[in-house]
Amino acid sequence: MAEGSDTTLTAEQTAGAAPTGLVAGIRSFAAAHGGAKAVIEYVGKRGARIVLVGTDGAWGDQFAEDTVTAREACSQAGVAVENAWERELMDQMRPSNDLWRSMARRTMSR
């Protein structure tokens, strides 16, 4: 039997160039809000959600095909990626009045 295995699966993915539209969107958000930080959330087959929080409290999101692409896009845009939702980052977020109104209309189902 041969040493090693040619069927070993690895979770390592190589980072390539992120789509220019994604990088431009992240840069645009950061420029409009005095800088930004990002949190990347894996959302299954849909890919990865990049939640951007501006220094002014505004927030928005972008979608990437996977977490590697999302991290690369943030890196190319010059936006720091946080590893998790830290309290300081959540305290910085300021939801708009429209968002509060839309959440008030929703009812919880049992």
Side-chain angles (χ1 to χ4, degrees):
M1 182 160 235
E3 292 288 323
S5 173
D6 60 347
T7 60
T8 304
L9 297 175
T10 61
E12 217 174 283
Q13 295 177 341
T14 58
T20 55
L22 179 61
V23 175
I26 295 169
R27 269 195 196 125
S28 172
F29 180 89
H33 299 284
K37 291 184 180 179
V39 176
I40 298 173
E41 301 172 337
Y42 174 70
V43 289
K45 290 181 181 180
R46 291 189 62 198
R49 179 181 185 206
I50 306 167
V51 181
L52 300 163
V53 181
T55 56
D56 63 354
W59 61 280
D61 60 1
Q62 298 276 333
F63 277 88
E65 62 187 32
D66 55 39
T67 57
V68 173
T69 303
R71 287 189 180 280
E72 183 62 26
C74 289
S75 174
Q76 289 178 13
V79 172
V81 176
E82 297 289 323
N83 289 327
W85 285 104
E86 299 293 333
R87 180 179 178 163
E88 292 81 19
L89 187 59
M90 291 188 70
D91 285 346
Q92 186 176 337
M93 293 177 76
R94 299 286 177 248
S96 68
N97 288 335
D98 292 336
L99 180 61
W100 284 117
R101 278 192 288 277
S102 73
M103 287 190 296
R105 285 192 295 264
R106 295 181 189 160
T107 59
M108 301 294 274
S109 61
R110 290 187 170 205

